[in-house]
């Protein structure tokens, strides 16, 4: 599917989500049924040897930066979403994406970071309403920034994409209205999962990218930012699947989560005004720039690690967005630290 075709499909899905339209087939009803059957088979295969325990990573990171005074209060980071956001598949808290992001954010901000994770393994986008309610029930108010990773289970359970995007958009809107910055890691490319065979890998990839592009439109229109996870792990998985995927071959390993977290970290920092000013200007040499939001969403879905954020409210072809290809920090530049309970 070309970028322009993906943009048209994503625009229709997002419009259906916004205006209550029916479910548009991600890859056609028959194809979706095949994907579902294959993914259920894959899940049964990967369940053997899986590690269902999710490490508890909540707490304070960057305690070395503790200091009294205004502007030195800990930043508050909250993770929402599914098993990827929760960190299922690893054994230590410091290996979860939340811990990695909290450690990296503390190093960039030179302030401690309080991490809270309300993500639920197996969650679909309709669970975001419950998760957001948990976040906003905090007596301290909304966190500074929320990171949402969701979508894979929507594809494998055949949730209509309009419904999926509607739930995500509502979650972003509620969090933004409460004052939190929001960064969404869009639906990963399910075509990289080892037990899924061709031609269903292609169908899974197509469905994943269509949903990711539609998620981007819905998120950006509500004032959030997105980072494409896409096939971020694809090349590494093909080269070394035992290292980049966990023992269940479905969830990322510690190295895999680090790769994804470091793709999201620059956008989290930028949302909080912590990234260098010269990085905020579009770089033509990296093919960055302002595009209609649907086109930006389609391009981001095809290139992992790409950020999309709102730019102009309207243009000749609807809202426009800024597409950024931020340089990812090396994992060694942001080693996780163990949390200290607040």
């Amino acid at each position: 599917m070309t970028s322009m075709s993906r943009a048209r499909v994503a625009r229709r899905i997002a419009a259906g989500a916004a205006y209550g339209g029916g479910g548009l087939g991600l890859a056609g009803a028959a194809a979706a049924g095949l994907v579902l059957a294959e993914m259920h088979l894959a899940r049964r295969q990967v369940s053997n040897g899986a590690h269902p325990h999710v490490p508890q990573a909540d707490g304070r990171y960057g305690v070395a930066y503790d200091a009294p005074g205004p502007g030195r209060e800990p930043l508050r980071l909250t993770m929402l979403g599914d098993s990827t956001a929760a960190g299922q598949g690893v054994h230590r808290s410091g290996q979860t994406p939340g811990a990695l992001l909290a450690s990296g954010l503390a190093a960039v901000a030179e302030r401690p970071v309080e991490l809270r994770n309300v993500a639920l393994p197996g969650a679909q986008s309709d669970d975001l309403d419950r998760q957001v309610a948990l976040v906003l029930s905090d007596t301290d108010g909304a966190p500074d920034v929320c990171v949402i990773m969701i979508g894979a289970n929507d594809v494998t359970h055949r949730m209509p994409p309009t419904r999926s995007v509607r739930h995500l958009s509502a979650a972003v809107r509620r969090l933004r209205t409460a004052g939190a910055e929001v960064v969404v890691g869009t639906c990963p490319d399910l075509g990289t999962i080892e037990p899924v065979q061709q031609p269903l890998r292609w169908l899974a990839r197509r469905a994943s990218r269509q949903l990711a592009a539609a998620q981007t439109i819905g998120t950006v229109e509500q004032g959030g930012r997105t980072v494409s996870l896409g096939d971020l792990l694809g090349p590494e998985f093909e080269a070394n699947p035992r290292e980049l995927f966990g023992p269940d071959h479905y969830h990322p390993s510690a190295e895999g989560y680090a790769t994804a977290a470091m793709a999201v970290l620059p956008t989290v920092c930028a949302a909080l005004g912590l990234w260098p000013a010269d990085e905020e200007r579009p770089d033509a040499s990296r093919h960055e720039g302002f595009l209609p939001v649907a086109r930006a969403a389609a391009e981001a879905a095809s290139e992992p690690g790409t950020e999309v954020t709102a730019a102009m409210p309207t243009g000749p072809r609807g809202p426009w967005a800024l597409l950024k290809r931020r340089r990812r920090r090396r994992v060694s530049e942001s080693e996780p630290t163990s949390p200290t309970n607040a």
Side-chain angles (χ1 to χ4, degrees), residues 121-167:
Q124 299 176 53
S125 292
D126 56 6
D127 191 56
L128 288 176
D129 181 64
R130 182 192 64 83
Q131 294 183 28
V132 170
L134 280 175
V135 173
L136 298 184
S137 67
D138 194 320
T139 55
D140 292 331
D144 295 289
V145 60
C146 294
V147 174
I148 304 173
M149 296 181 178
I150 198 111
N153 295 315
D154 295 8
V155 174
T156 61
H157 288 80
R158 294 175 66 188
M159 176 181 287
T162 50
R163 182 182 171 202
S164 175
V165 174
R166 189 178 301 125
H167 284 297

Side-chain angles (χ1 to χ4, degrees), residues 42-115:
R43 279 203 300 271
R44 284 199 299 271
Q45 291 174 348
V46 302
S47 63
N48 296 323
H51 193 260
H53 172 70
V54 177
Q56 174 57 253
D58 288 14
R60 181 172 295 191
Y61 292 75
V63 292
Y65 300 111
D66 266 324
R72 305 301 306 168
E73 302 86 357
L75 291 168
R76 295 167 60 215
L77 164 67
T78 298
M79 302 291 296
L80 305 90
D82 56 22
S83 57
T84 304
Q88 186 173 354
V90 295
H91 299 274
R92 295 196 296 273
S93 61
Q95 298 171 328
T96 63
L100 291 161
L101 285 171
S103 297
L105 179 58
V108 173
E110 297 186 342
R111 289 170 61 180
V113 173
E114 292 283 355
L115 172 66

